[in-house]
Amino acid sequence: MSVWKRSTIWQWISALLLFFMLREWLLPLQELTDTGVLWPFLVIVAGVLVIDVAIPHRWATLPLKVLGLLWLLHATLFDAPLFATDWLAELYRHIVHDLPLAFRQDWGAMSILSRNALFDTMLLVLITMLTYLVLEQRQGLWFVFLTELYLAVLDTFLPYDASAGIVRTLIFGFLLLSVSHLMRMTSMATVTEKRSRILFGSLLASLLVIMISVGIGYAAPKKDASWPDPIAFLLGSGMEGSPAVMKKVGYDNNDERLGGPFQQDNTLVFTATTNERSYWRGDSKDVYTGVGWEKGEREYEAILDPQNYEWKNELFRGLETKKVEATLQFNGPQQFATVFYPGQLNKISNYAPPNATVVYDKQNQQLEVRAGKINLIRATGENGRKEYGPNTLLLKLNQYKLDAEVPIVSEKAVITAGTDYPDEIRERYLQLPANLPPRVKELAQSVTKNAKTPYEKVRAIENYLRTGGKYKYETKDVPVAAEGQDFVDHFLFESMRGYCDHFSTSMAVMLRSLDIPTRWVKGFAPGQRVGSDEQNRDIMEVRNKDAHSWVEVYFPGYGWIPFEATSTFVSPVRFNYDLRTSQPQLPIPVPDLENQTSPDRGDGRFDRLEEGDAIPQKRFSIPWQVNVALFIVAAGAGFLAWRRRKEIQIWWLRRQIDLDKSNKYTDRFNLLLRVMERVYTRRQSGETLREYASRITIPADKRQDLRYLTEMYERTVYGYKELEQKARSVAEQLIERLLRQLKP
């Protein structure tokens, strides 16, 4: 048989529909996990589908899939040449080192290499099984049902809107079932033209039925739910504390008392056009009261002409940055007197209404917009100059343009920043209430017991809250601390569920208990991309549900760096993981690191992937027992396969016959003949089929069946005639009977 399968267009259509359904399984990863991009996973799905549809031999697809997986890992994680062995050795070392961690389900301690390799391998195996069951065995109904159930669970229990995915899955799934069923119904047709015409007509009818049903369901009026949401009741049985009044999510200046459940609000706040996705910073607060956040003493600066004013190094300095241009349009019902900006603001322009002035909070880097300026004092001096100040009335801008910059944080720089904090930073950003329970600090010390520098402690607490698995993101079933109980203590040790305010406040308080200056920041998450403009800049829609809070940590010499503690959000701040790069990547003076040597790592792209992923080669060697065990297992499997090669060949040929029932009779007879040759003896050179059937030693009933099948084969090949339906049915029964009786 040929190495390549003569696949029909309908098989490719089925594979495409299955790809769209599998894509729905992967899309939630970007919103619910730390996954940054999906294209490597989509490449795996598409590659497996193409290989399985195009190649008929399963044994031949395995090496292609393995090679493709290695290529993908190299393309996404390594800079070394593809045909070099260094990156393969490094990948092998990471996997062997992290396998015990995987068995212990300690995912956070595994390197990014191991996690990607194991996840990609698992995905490859799962997609291979699905292609066999759905495309070859045509058992797609259960997969359609499972996909709908998966999306419904995510939509119900997690902060993911799966309504569009459910509709798409319904369309793709029913089309897949229609194609599969119609292919099975028309597989016995003898005239190709008739088969294609039947298939096209039936598929068109199925498509019309599906589109009409979905269209009516989408357009029809929908009544609001008459029952209360049962999920909070089911999850909240036995919850401690009393439930608070249900609020709507959104940006609010009052943070004096945090916590309590809220409802998701999809109201549009603003539309942003930007060249860089980033958090939209609104304000920060520095005084933790035990139940919420307030602002301490503030220093204001009046900016009467914001159009010509520039900000410099207000948040951070000494770091590589990327320039950001963003235009915000507030078209929704909600508008704010606060300016939201990405990263560090440099300039604001093109604002409307044009009579705006700004009051700038220099400690918290907040811009509050006022309605023009007022005359403060009429001077009596020689010049008679008037002095002006900002109006006391707040003004909500409809639009404005921002010039800003986001940092590319050098890990080498911040890890060596030290603890020489200015006095004003210590006094302001290490504040904690006197009645903070001691176990909060004890927990922070326990989590950071292996960390030496402030940066390592920040990362340890961030990972503990985000990926430790102990704390659950929840918005509705959120218990409220009892009167007099500390908000952070209640979240860390009792409720263990909450949303961004709980995670960010807990991280800030834990870091302050370790004498690391931290403050609480609020604003909006990047939002959802809805398109791009003519300059290929992203158009983002930011809604009330995107309101968010995070933390900023102070590093001497570099300023305030954002960190993300909430498990369901991914910080857009870029980190340059350059700890092991021998040459400095940023124009930053780093003492005592210039002369250190380290392995050549290309341009350092691998090091930027994730902190703590690199395993020092000097301190790690693969145990010889592991290599010996792997060799013994591989040798034993190879020897067993060689000893039972005949049984394996026969099993494979029988399987091919079972899978190729829709193929021509001549192909199925050739497969049967190959099975006979494996069980009995091979045909000799120049021996005809009838001579071979007469020569081999088999029972008379089997010989009679084989002769009949041989005559049918000769009639088809030499008579150029397709078997009639009745004759083909008899031949199929004889093939099945012979296969059941053949034993090696």
Side-chain angles (χ1 to χ4, degrees), residues 248-249 251 265-271 329-337 396-398 524 542-544:
K248 281 191 175 183
V249 65
Y251 186 89
D265 185 5
N266 206 39
T267 303
L268 179 66
V269 178
F270 62 87
T271 302
Q329 295 278 349
F330 289 80
N331 299 323
Q334 286 190 314
Q335 297 177 359
F336 300 91
K396 299 177 181 179
L397 295 179
N398 300 324
F524 288 94
V542 179
R543 301 179 180 274
N544 264 336

PDB file of all heavy atoms in Angstrom, residues 248-249 251 265-271 329-337 396-398 524 542-544:
ATOM      1  N   LYS A 248     -22.081  45.137  42.364  1.00  0.00           N
ATOM      2  CA  LYS A 248     -21.642  44.964  40.984  1.00  0.00           C
ATOM      3  C   LYS A 248     -20.171  45.307  40.888  1.00  0.00           C
ATOM      4  O   LYS A 248     -19.691  46.253  41.515  1.00  0.00           O
ATOM      5  CB  LYS A 248     -22.462  45.849  40.034  1.00  0.00           C
ATOM      6  CG  LYS A 248     -23.828  45.293  39.695  1.00  0.00           C
ATOM      7  CD  LYS A 248     -24.461  46.065  38.549  1.00  0.00           C
ATOM      8  CE  LYS A 248     -25.777  45.430  38.136  1.00  0.00           C
ATOM      9  NZ  LYS A 248     -26.381  46.121  36.967  1.00  0.00           N
ATOM     10  N   VAL A 249     -19.470  44.523  40.077  1.00  0.00           N
ATOM     11  CA  VAL A 249     -18.049  44.762  39.907  1.00  0.00           C
ATOM     12  C   VAL A 249     -17.837  46.055  39.129  1.00  0.00           C
ATOM     13  O   VAL A 249     -18.643  46.437  38.287  1.00  0.00           O
ATOM     14  CB  VAL A 249     -17.387  43.573  39.167  1.00  0.00           C
ATOM     15  CG1 VAL A 249     -17.916  43.453  37.761  1.00  0.00           C
ATOM     16  CG2 VAL A 249     -15.874  43.722  39.148  1.00  0.00           C
ATOM     17  N   TYR A 251     -14.932  49.851  38.887  1.00  0.00           N
ATOM     18  CA  TYR A 251     -13.923  50.700  39.518  1.00  0.00           C
ATOM     19  C   TYR A 251     -14.606  51.638  40.497  1.00  0.00           C
ATOM     20  O   TYR A 251     -15.592  52.301  40.168  1.00  0.00           O
ATOM     21  CB  TYR A 251     -13.171  51.485  38.448  1.00  0.00           C
ATOM     22  CG  TYR A 251     -12.006  52.277  38.980  1.00  0.00           C
ATOM     23  CD1 TYR A 251     -10.740  51.707  39.063  1.00  0.00           C
ATOM     24  CD2 TYR A 251     -12.172  53.590  39.388  1.00  0.00           C
ATOM     25  CE1 TYR A 251      -9.664  52.433  39.551  1.00  0.00           C
ATOM     26  CE2 TYR A 251     -11.103  54.327  39.879  1.00  0.00           C
ATOM     27  CZ  TYR A 251      -9.854  53.743  39.961  1.00  0.00           C
ATOM     28  OH  TYR A 251      -8.792  54.468  40.436  1.00  0.00           O
ATOM     29  N   ASP A 265     -20.365  42.479  35.783  1.00  0.00           N
ATOM     30  CA  ASP A 265     -21.038  43.538  35.035  1.00  0.00           C
ATOM     31  C   ASP A 265     -20.297  43.731  33.715  1.00  0.00           C
ATOM     32  O   ASP A 265     -19.116  44.089  33.701  1.00  0.00           O
ATOM     33  CB  ASP A 265     -21.037  44.833  35.845  1.00  0.00           C
ATOM     34  CG  ASP A 265     -21.842  45.935  35.150  1.00  0.00           C
ATOM     35  OD1 ASP A 265     -22.457  45.632  34.108  1.00  0.00           O
ATOM     36  OD2 ASP A 265     -21.836  47.074  35.638  1.00  0.00           O
ATOM     37  N   ASN A 266     -21.002  43.504  32.628  1.00  0.00           N
ATOM     38  CA  ASN A 266     -20.376  43.558  31.306  1.00  0.00           C
ATOM     39  C   ASN A 266     -20.482  44.936  30.659  1.00  0.00           C
ATOM     40  O   ASN A 266     -20.235  45.093  29.470  1.00  0.00           O
ATOM     41  CB  ASN A 266     -21.022  42.508  30.392  1.00  0.00           C
ATOM     42  CG  ASN A 266     -20.090  42.056  29.292  1.00  0.00           C
ATOM     43  OD1 ASN A 266     -18.897  41.895  29.503  1.00  0.00           O
ATOM     44  ND2 ASN A 266     -20.629  41.865  28.103  1.00  0.00           N
ATOM     45  N   THR A 267     -20.828  45.953  31.439  1.00  0.00           N
ATOM     46  CA  THR A 267     -20.987  47.298  30.884  1.00  0.00           C
ATOM     47  C   THR A 267     -19.670  47.825  30.341  1.00  0.00           C
ATOM     48  O   THR A 267     -18.635  47.750  31.014  1.00  0.00           O
ATOM     49  CB  THR A 267     -21.519  48.253  31.962  1.00  0.00           C
ATOM     50  OG1 THR A 267     -22.746  47.740  32.479  1.00  0.00           O
ATOM     51  CG2 THR A 267     -21.760  49.637  31.381  1.00  0.00           C
ATOM     52  N   LEU A 268     -19.708  48.380  29.128  1.00  0.00           N
ATOM     53  CA  LEU A 268     -18.499  48.929  28.508  1.00  0.00           C
ATOM     54  C   LEU A 268     -18.093  50.213  29.218  1.00  0.00           C
ATOM     55  O   LEU A 268     -18.907  51.103  29.438  1.00  0.00           O
ATOM     56  CB  LEU A 268     -18.746  49.210  27.026  1.00  0.00           C
ATOM     57  CG  LEU A 268     -17.573  49.817  26.240  1.00  0.00           C
ATOM     58  CD1 LEU A 268     -16.423  48.828  26.139  1.00  0.00           C
ATOM     59  CD2 LEU A 268     -18.034  50.244  24.846  1.00  0.00           C
ATOM     60  N   VAL A 269     -16.802  50.321  29.584  1.00  0.00           N
ATOM     61  CA  VAL A 269     -16.263  51.527  30.217  1.00  0.00           C
ATOM     62  C   VAL A 269     -15.561  52.389  29.185  1.00  0.00           C
ATOM     63  O   VAL A 269     -15.875  53.564  29.022  1.00  0.00           O
ATOM     64  CB  VAL A 269     -15.308  51.163  31.372  1.00  0.00           C
ATOM     65  CG1 VAL A 269     -14.723  52.432  31.998  1.00  0.00           C
ATOM     66  CG2 VAL A 269     -16.044  50.355  32.433  1.00  0.00           C
ATOM     67  N   PHE A 270     -14.599  51.819  28.464  1.00  0.00           N
ATOM     68  CA  PHE A 270     -13.924  52.588  27.420  1.00  0.00           C
ATOM     69  C   PHE A 270     -13.349  51.638  26.378  1.00  0.00           C
ATOM     70  O   PHE A 270     -13.190  50.427  26.617  1.00  0.00           O
ATOM     71  CB  PHE A 270     -12.825  53.500  27.983  1.00  0.00           C
ATOM     72  CG  PHE A 270     -11.700  52.788  28.685  1.00  0.00           C
ATOM     73  CD1 PHE A 270     -10.595  52.318  27.986  1.00  0.00           C
ATOM     74  CD2 PHE A 270     -11.724  52.618  30.057  1.00  0.00           C
ATOM     75  CE1 PHE A 270      -9.559  51.683  28.632  1.00  0.00           C
ATOM     76  CE2 PHE A 270     -10.686  51.980  30.722  1.00  0.00           C
ATOM     77  CZ  PHE A 270      -9.599  51.511  30.004  1.00  0.00           C
ATOM     78  N   THR A 271     -13.074  52.199  25.224  1.00  0.00           N
ATOM     79  CA  THR A 271     -12.413  51.483  24.134  1.00  0.00           C
ATOM     80  C   THR A 271     -11.035  52.105  23.938  1.00  0.00           C
ATOM     81  O   THR A 271     -10.914  53.324  23.804  1.00  0.00           O
ATOM     82  CB  THR A 271     -13.229  51.580  22.833  1.00  0.00           C
ATOM     83  OG1 THR A 271     -14.533  51.046  23.058  1.00  0.00           O
ATOM     84  CG2 THR A 271     -12.543  50.799  21.723  1.00  0.00           C
ATOM     85  N   GLN A 329     -11.395  56.037  24.440  1.00  0.00           N
ATOM     86  CA  GLN A 329     -12.699  56.619  24.119  1.00  0.00           C
ATOM     87  C   GLN A 329     -13.724  56.093  25.127  1.00  0.00           C
ATOM     88  O   GLN A 329     -13.936  54.886  25.223  1.00  0.00           O
ATOM     89  CB  GLN A 329     -13.130  56.224  22.695  1.00  0.00           C
ATOM     90  CG  GLN A 329     -12.250  56.781  21.597  1.00  0.00           C
ATOM     91  CD  GLN A 329     -12.609  58.211  21.248  1.00  0.00           C
ATOM     92  OE1 GLN A 329     -13.634  58.719  21.690  1.00  0.00           O
ATOM     93  NE2 GLN A 329     -11.777  58.857  20.446  1.00  0.00           N
ATOM     94  N   PHE A 330     -14.331  57.008  25.875  1.00  0.00           N
ATOM     95  CA  PHE A 330     -15.334  56.628  26.879  1.00  0.00           C
ATOM     96  C   PHE A 330     -16.718  56.813  26.271  1.00  0.00           C
ATOM     97  O   PHE A 330     -17.319  57.891  26.353  1.00  0.00           O
ATOM     98  CB  PHE A 330     -15.164  57.474  28.137  1.00  0.00           C
ATOM     99  CG  PHE A 330     -13.933  57.135  28.926  1.00  0.00           C
ATOM    100  CD1 PHE A 330     -12.687  57.618  28.537  1.00  0.00           C
ATOM    101  CD2 PHE A 330     -14.005  56.321  30.041  1.00  0.00           C
ATOM    102  CE1 PHE A 330     -11.551  57.313  29.247  1.00  0.00           C
ATOM    103  CE2 PHE A 330     -12.873  56.000  30.766  1.00  0.00           C
ATOM    104  CZ  PHE A 330     -11.637  56.497  30.364  1.00  0.00           C
ATOM    105  N   ASN A 331     -17.206  55.737  25.657  1.00  0.00           N
ATOM    106  CA  ASN A 331     -18.507  55.794  24.989  1.00  0.00           C
ATOM    107  C   ASN A 331     -19.622  55.190  25.823  1.00  0.00           C
ATOM    108  O   ASN A 331     -20.786  55.281  25.464  1.00  0.00           O
ATOM    109  CB  ASN A 331     -18.431  55.071  23.642  1.00  0.00           C
ATOM    110  CG  ASN A 331     -17.413  55.712  22.711  1.00  0.00           C
ATOM    111  OD1 ASN A 331     -17.283  56.928  22.695  1.00  0.00           O
ATOM    112  ND2 ASN A 331     -16.692  54.889  21.954  1.00  0.00           N
ATOM    113  N   GLY A 332     -19.250  54.518  26.903  1.00  0.00           N
ATOM    114  CA  GLY A 332     -20.255  53.856  27.709  1.00  0.00           C
ATOM    115  C   GLY A 332     -20.909  54.794  28.699  1.00  0.00           C
ATOM    116  O   GLY A 332     -20.606  55.998  28.765  1.00  0.00           O
ATOM    117  N   PRO A 333     -21.807  54.263  29.510  1.00  0.00           N
ATOM    118  CA  PRO A 333     -22.528  55.108  30.473  1.00  0.00           C
ATOM    119  C   PRO A 333     -21.666  55.558  31.640  1.00  0.00           C
ATOM    120  O   PRO A 333     -22.025  56.502  32.335  1.00  0.00           O
ATOM    121  CB  PRO A 333     -23.661  54.192  30.956  1.00  0.00           C
ATOM    122  CG  PRO A 333     -23.134  52.802  30.749  1.00  0.00           C
ATOM    123  CD  PRO A 333     -22.256  52.859  29.541  1.00  0.00           C
ATOM    124  N   GLN A 334     -20.516  54.880  31.874  1.00  0.00           N
ATOM    125  CA  GLN A 334     -19.677  55.222  33.007  1.00  0.00           C
ATOM    126  C   GLN A 334     -18.444  55.989  32.552  1.00  0.00           C
ATOM    127  O   GLN A 334     -17.770  55.591  31.600  1.00  0.00           O
ATOM    128  CB  GLN A 334     -19.246  53.953  33.752  1.00  0.00           C
ATOM    129  CG  GLN A 334     -20.365  53.332  34.569  1.00  0.00           C
ATOM    130  CD  GLN A 334     -19.841  52.233  35.460  1.00  0.00           C
ATOM    131  OE1 GLN A 334     -19.073  51.397  35.035  1.00  0.00           O
ATOM    132  NE2 GLN A 334     -20.267  52.217  36.710  1.00  0.00           N
ATOM    133  N   GLN A 335     -18.156  57.079  33.230  1.00  0.00           N
ATOM    134  CA  GLN A 335     -16.962  57.869  32.984  1.00  0.00           C
ATOM    135  C   GLN A 335     -16.361  58.257  34.331  1.00  0.00           C
ATOM    136  O   GLN A 335     -17.059  58.271  35.351  1.00  0.00           O
ATOM    137  CB  GLN A 335     -17.287  59.108  32.148  1.00  0.00           C
ATOM    138  CG  GLN A 335     -17.808  58.786  30.755  1.00  0.00           C
ATOM    139  CD  GLN A 335     -18.197  60.020  29.976  1.00  0.00           C
ATOM    140  OE1 GLN A 335     -18.103  61.127  30.476  1.00  0.00           O
ATOM    141  NE2 GLN A 335     -18.655  59.832  28.745  1.00  0.00           N
ATOM    142  N   PHE A 336     -15.078  58.554  34.309  1.00  0.00           N
ATOM    143  CA  PHE A 336     -14.366  58.796  35.556  1.00  0.00           C
ATOM    144  C   PHE A 336     -13.550  60.079  35.454  1.00  0.00           C
ATOM    145  O   PHE A 336     -13.107  60.467  34.374  1.00  0.00           O
ATOM    146  CB  PHE A 336     -13.437  57.621  35.884  1.00  0.00           C
ATOM    147  CG  PHE A 336     -14.153  56.315  36.047  1.00  0.00           C
ATOM    148  CD1 PHE A 336     -14.333  55.460  34.965  1.00  0.00           C
ATOM    149  CD2 PHE A 336     -14.650  55.933  37.277  1.00  0.00           C
ATOM    150  CE1 PHE A 336     -14.986  54.259  35.112  1.00  0.00           C
ATOM    151  CE2 PHE A 336     -15.308  54.728  37.434  1.00  0.00           C
ATOM    152  CZ  PHE A 336     -15.483  53.893  36.348  1.00  0.00           C
ATOM    153  N   ALA A 337     -13.340  60.696  36.610  1.00  0.00           N
ATOM    154  CA  ALA A 337     -12.467  61.864  36.677  1.00  0.00           C
ATOM    155  C   ALA A 337     -11.013  61.458  36.868  1.00  0.00           C
ATOM    156  O   ALA A 337     -10.150  62.319  37.015  1.00  0.00           O
ATOM    157  CB  ALA A 337     -12.901  62.775  37.823  1.00  0.00           C
ATOM    158  N   LYS A 396     -15.147  64.713  33.952  1.00  0.00           N
ATOM    159  CA  LYS A 396     -14.985  63.386  33.365  1.00  0.00           C
ATOM    160  C   LYS A 396     -14.689  63.526  31.879  1.00  0.00           C
ATOM    161  O   LYS A 396     -15.502  64.057  31.126  1.00  0.00           O
ATOM    162  CB  LYS A 396     -16.251  62.551  33.588  1.00  0.00           C
ATOM    163  CG  LYS A 396     -16.574  62.340  35.064  1.00  0.00           C
ATOM    164  CD  LYS A 396     -17.863  61.581  35.263  1.00  0.00           C
ATOM    165  CE  LYS A 396     -18.168  61.398  36.754  1.00  0.00           C
ATOM    166  NZ  LYS A 396     -19.442  60.663  36.957  1.00  0.00           N
ATOM    167  N   LEU A 397     -13.517  63.058  31.478  1.00  0.00           N
ATOM    168  CA  LEU A 397     -13.103  63.190  30.089  1.00  0.00           C
ATOM    169  C   LEU A 397     -13.799  62.152  29.208  1.00  0.00           C
ATOM    170  O   LEU A 397     -14.002  61.002  29.613  1.00  0.00           O
ATOM    171  CB  LEU A 397     -11.589  63.015  29.971  1.00  0.00           C
ATOM    172  CG  LEU A 397     -10.720  64.088  30.656  1.00  0.00           C
ATOM    173  CD1 LEU A 397      -9.250  63.760  30.479  1.00  0.00           C
ATOM    174  CD2 LEU A 397     -11.035  65.459  30.093  1.00  0.00           C
ATOM    175  N   ASN A 398     -14.141  62.569  27.987  1.00  0.00           N
ATOM    176  CA  ASN A 398     -14.734  61.660  27.012  1.00  0.00           C
ATOM    177  C   ASN A 398     -13.672  60.880  26.241  1.00  0.00           C
ATOM    178  O   ASN A 398     -13.917  59.762  25.794  1.00  0.00           O
ATOM    179  CB  ASN A 398     -15.601  62.433  26.014  1.00  0.00           C
ATOM    180  CG  ASN A 398     -16.732  63.169  26.699  1.00  0.00           C
ATOM    181  OD1 ASN A 398     -17.294  62.670  27.677  1.00  0.00           O
ATOM    182  ND2 ASN A 398     -17.050  64.357  26.220  1.00  0.00           N
ATOM    183  N   PHE A 524      -7.687  48.807  35.749  1.00  0.00           N
ATOM    184  CA  PHE A 524      -8.376  47.843  34.899  1.00  0.00           C
ATOM    185  C   PHE A 524      -7.360  46.894  34.279  1.00  0.00           C
ATOM    186  O   PHE A 524      -6.210  47.274  34.009  1.00  0.00           O
ATOM    187  CB  PHE A 524      -9.149  48.546  33.770  1.00  0.00           C
ATOM    188  CG  PHE A 524     -10.378  49.278  34.222  1.00  0.00           C
ATOM    189  CD1 PHE A 524     -10.327  50.630  34.530  1.00  0.00           C
ATOM    190  CD2 PHE A 524     -11.589  48.612  34.354  1.00  0.00           C
ATOM    191  CE1 PHE A 524     -11.455  51.314  34.943  1.00  0.00           C
ATOM    192  CE2 PHE A 524     -12.732  49.283  34.763  1.00  0.00           C
ATOM    193  CZ  PHE A 524     -12.661  50.639  35.063  1.00  0.00           C
ATOM    194  N   VAL A 542     -12.662  47.603  27.252  1.00  0.00           N
ATOM    195  CA  VAL A 542     -12.489  47.442  28.694  1.00  0.00           C
ATOM    196  C   VAL A 542     -13.842  47.654  29.355  1.00  0.00           C
ATOM    197  O   VAL A 542     -14.480  48.697  29.162  1.00  0.00           O
ATOM    198  CB  VAL A 542     -11.446  48.430  29.231  1.00  0.00           C
ATOM    199  CG1 VAL A 542     -11.294  48.270  30.741  1.00  0.00           C
ATOM    200  CG2 VAL A 542     -10.113  48.223  28.531  1.00  0.00           C
ATOM    201  N   ARG A 543     -14.276  46.665  30.115  1.00  0.00           N
ATOM    202  CA  ARG A 543     -15.606  46.683  30.715  1.00  0.00           C
ATOM    203  C   ARG A 543     -15.499  46.696  32.240  1.00  0.00           C
ATOM    204  O   ARG A 543     -14.410  46.526  32.806  1.00  0.00           O
ATOM    205  CB  ARG A 543     -16.420  45.477  30.228  1.00  0.00           C
ATOM    206  CG  ARG A 543     -16.566  45.463  28.699  1.00  0.00           C
ATOM    207  CD  ARG A 543     -17.345  44.257  28.206  1.00  0.00           C
ATOM    208  NE  ARG A 543     -17.466  44.277  26.753  1.00  0.00           N
ATOM    209  CZ  ARG A 543     -18.420  44.922  26.080  1.00  0.00           C
ATOM    210  NH1 ARG A 543     -19.361  45.575  26.759  1.00  0.00           N
ATOM    211  NH2 ARG A 543     -18.452  44.910  24.769  1.00  0.00           N
ATOM    212  N   ASN A 544     -16.632  46.859  32.882  1.00  0.00           N
ATOM    213  CA  ASN A 544     -16.638  46.882  34.344  1.00  0.00           C
ATOM    214  C   ASN A 544     -16.048  45.613  34.934  1.00  0.00           C
ATOM    215  O   ASN A 544     -15.399  45.645  35.978  1.00  0.00           O
ATOM    216  CB  ASN A 544     -18.069  47.078  34.863  1.00  0.00           C
ATOM    217  CG  ASN A 544     -18.368  48.535  35.164  1.00  0.00           C
ATOM    218  OD1 ASN A 544     -17.473  49.328  35.426  1.00  0.00           O
ATOM    219  ND2 ASN A 544     -19.637  48.896  35.113  1.00  0.00           N
TER     220      ASN A 544
END
